[in-house]
Amino acid sequence: MKSNNGKKMKVGASNFFVEVVLLCLILFPIYGLAERPLRFGKGGSFKILQVADMHYGDGKTTPCEDVFSYQMATCSDLNTTAFIKRMILAEKPDLIVFTGDNIFGYDVTDAAKSLEASFAPAIASNIPWAAVLGNHDQESALSREGVMKHIVKLKNTLSLVNPVEVHVIDGFGNYNLEVGGVEGSSFENKSVLNLYFLDSGDYSTIPSIPGYGWIKPSQQFWFERTSKRLQRAYMAKPEAQKGPAPGIAYFHIPLPEFSSFDSTNFTGVKQEGISSASVNSGFFTTMVSAGDVKAVFTGHDHLNDFCGELTGIQLCYAGGFGYHAYGKAGWARRARVVVVNLEKMEKGGWGAVKSIKTWKRLDDQHLTAIDGQVLWSKSSAGTRRKKQIGGT
């Protein structure tokens, strides 16, 4: 009897454990972040590679656009793939971010296979990666929802279809990722860098408003709530901070505020108009009010690759990456790299974010690095606040 009761108890406990695990999986789905959280390395830095506008088609049979005539015979989507591989080997990023128009829907035979091929170098690298949608990803057999649902199934991605806690939100691919401090430091249980990903839409669905889509009120409401939650956590004990952790936002279509710059106040080039929505959704103002976003990175306009600061936020293009995307013969395809560095504490450990730096690399013989700049630093932000308080 005793032995049988013991067996029954073990079986019962085992069944109970299985039920608890299943219940947890239902209530708290395991996404990429839970499996392999993002964290600053022992060297106190975190590097992000941005890939904008791959416009991937069917691979080897898809020709290049806007290259020299002598390059056409051997140029295809495979050149885009080779460029990603080179960038991964050269920069060894901690995260790869794809900012939309990952595939060019009109020219793909099988959207799912093209998506898998476009992301293949990131998948093979075993580096975490995230993606948002552009205005061309859904122009095949898969809807925007279908494209995003396929992306989140791929290996090593941290992408989400939408926030699990939000039941009603516009678009697909709205989510955030938290980057923890160095393991073993006093910041290891805090998110010291917050990444926001949003679906900027494809085209207006309102007949009286022509042109491209925009970030809707429901998305902005989610962003505001998420930002406030993260700020509360960062400024709470232990290691309570006086201000919010820096944030970075990624989406495809540039905001109207990207038109605020000329050659005197940006770093990079502007070779075409700003193809933003024809209405201003107010998202830039929403970010300014939130107070944590220091930089925004977009794609969409392939011949622009500049960064300019407006009201404390850097607005940056990556420049066109893909060879099946429109470009300019002789103007190299390019990628943007962002490095976030932590400050060294007096006692030798790593603290909060000290600076955000960026540069671009060209797909030339030497992967030439250009336009290195500091986008934000803790010291300059403090100086700016003092000036504002002093009324000068």
Side-chain angles (χ1 to χ4, degrees):
M1 286 291 292
K2 194 172 184 179
S3 176
N4 287 340
N5 285 338
K7 287 181 180 179
K8 287 180 180 179
M9 288 176 66
K10 287 181 181 179
V11 171
S14 177
N15 289 339
F16 175 74
F17 176 76
V18 171
E19 289 173 2
V20 169
V21 170
L22 290 173
L23 181 61
C24 287
L25 288 173
I26 293 169
L27 294 178
F28 309 102
I30 295 178
Y31 295 97
L33 183 58
E35 295 173 344
R36 49 186 309 180
L38 298 175
R39 183 176 295 284
F40 278 77
K42 293 294 184 182
S45 67
F46 189 85
K47 183 183 288 187
I48 304 171
L49 167 63
Q50 181 189 0
V51 176
D53 298 272
M54 289 189 291
H55 280 233
Y56 202 93
D58 279 343
K60 189 176 181 179
T61 59
T62 299
C64 294
E65 300 284 339
D66 297 322
V67 295
F68 290 120
S69 57
Y70 69 85
Q71 297 173 301
M72 286 298 296
T74 58
C75 193
S76 70
D77 281 334
L78 300 188
N79 291 63
T80 301
T81 298
F83 185 21
I84 300 177
K85 289 179 179 179
R86 293 182 73 200
M87 285 300 303
I88 291 172
L89 287 173
E91 291 289 359
K92 298 177 177 58
D94 299 294
L95 177 69
I96 305 169
V97 175
F98 297 90
T99 49
D101 283 1
N102 308 298
I103 62 172
F104 191 70
Y106 283 129
D107 291 343
V108 305
T109 304
D110 185 322
K113 288 184 179 179
S114 291
L115 284 166
E116 291 162 16
S118 69
F119 298 126
I123 293 170
S125 72
N126 273 329
I127 295 170
W129 59 275
V132 294
L133 302 182
N135 54 294
H136 290 303
D137 291 287
Q138 79 293 337
E139 294 171 337
S140 65
L142 286 178
S143 64
R144 289 181 77 75
E145 182 178 12
V147 170
M148 206 64 211
K149 283 185 173 179
H150 190 75
I151 288 173
V152 301
K153 295 176 183 176
L154 301 178
K155 184 184 176 185
N156 298 329
T157 189
L158 304 181
S159 310
L160 296 178
V161 174
N162 270 326
V164 292
E165 75 278 8
V166 176
H167 300 294
V168 178
I169 189 170
D170 287 280
F172 303 95
N174 303 289
Y175 55 101
N176 71 289
L177 297 175
E178 302 175 16
V179 186
V182 174
E183 189 172 3
S185 73
S186 56
F187 284 80
E188 70 173 336
N189 295 319
K190 281 188 179 290
S191 176
V192 297
L193 175 68
N194 296 310
L195 308 177
Y196 301 99
F197 302 85
L198 295 105
D199 181 3
S200 54
D202 48 8
Y203 304 96
S204 171
T205 56
I206 302 173
S208 60
I209 302 177
Y212 293 108
W214 56 88
I215 295 171
K216 305 296 189 345
S218 64
Q219 297 167 276
Q220 297 189 44
F221 180 66
W222 164 77
F223 164 79
E224 288 178 303
R225 289 188 54 151
T226 304
S227 174
K228 287 178 181 177
R229 173 178 60 79
L230 292 169
Q231 291 188 44
R232 282 196 301 268
Y234 190 67
M235 292 187 280
K237 294 180 180 180
E239 293 293 335
Q241 300 298 297
K242 295 179 180 179
I248 294 175
Y250 287 98
F251 45 89
H252 182 71
I253 298 174
L255 301 172
E257 285 79 7
F258 274 69
S259 298
S260 303
F261 309 106
D262 57 40
S263 59
T264 67
N265 58 5
F266 65 65
T267 300
V269 297
K270 178 184 177 184
Q271 301 178 110
E272 61 177 311
I274 309 300
S275 299
S276 58
S278 58
V279 297
N280 193 323
S281 69
F283 186 53
F284 180 78
T285 302
T286 298
M287 288 190 291
V288 171
S289 298
D292 61 336
V293 173
K294 307 305 178 188
V296 170
F297 297 97
T298 68
H300 193 54
D301 298 329
H302 308 174
L303 298 180
N304 296 337
D305 72 352
F306 66 80
C307 280
E309 182 184 348
L310 183 65
T311 323
I313 298 178
Q314 292 278 353
L315 302 178
C316 299
Y317 281 107
F321 189 101
Y323 280 86
H324 186 51
Y326 77 83
K328 184 178 179 181
W331 193 68
R333 264 61 176 188
R334 58 204 57 212
R336 182 172 288 282
V337 179
V338 171
V339 172
V340 184
N341 294 305
L342 301 179
E343 62 181 346
K344 195 77 172 176
M345 306 289 281
E346 291 182 4
K347 296 180 180 179
W350 293 106
V353 170
K354 177 183 178 181
S355 66
I356 302 174
K357 300 178 181 180
T358 188
W359 60 87
K360 292 162 294 196
R361 280 194 183 268
L362 309 182
D363 191 20
D364 59 15
Q365 182 180 355
H366 304 290
L367 279 180
T368 304
I370 63 169
D371 295 338
Q373 64 182 122
V374 177
L375 296 178
W376 177 86
S377 69
K378 193 172 184 179
S379 57
S380 64
T383 302
R384 191 182 302 116
R385 281 195 296 271
K386 287 178 182 177
K387 286 182 178 181
Q388 291 171 347
I389 292 169
T392 58

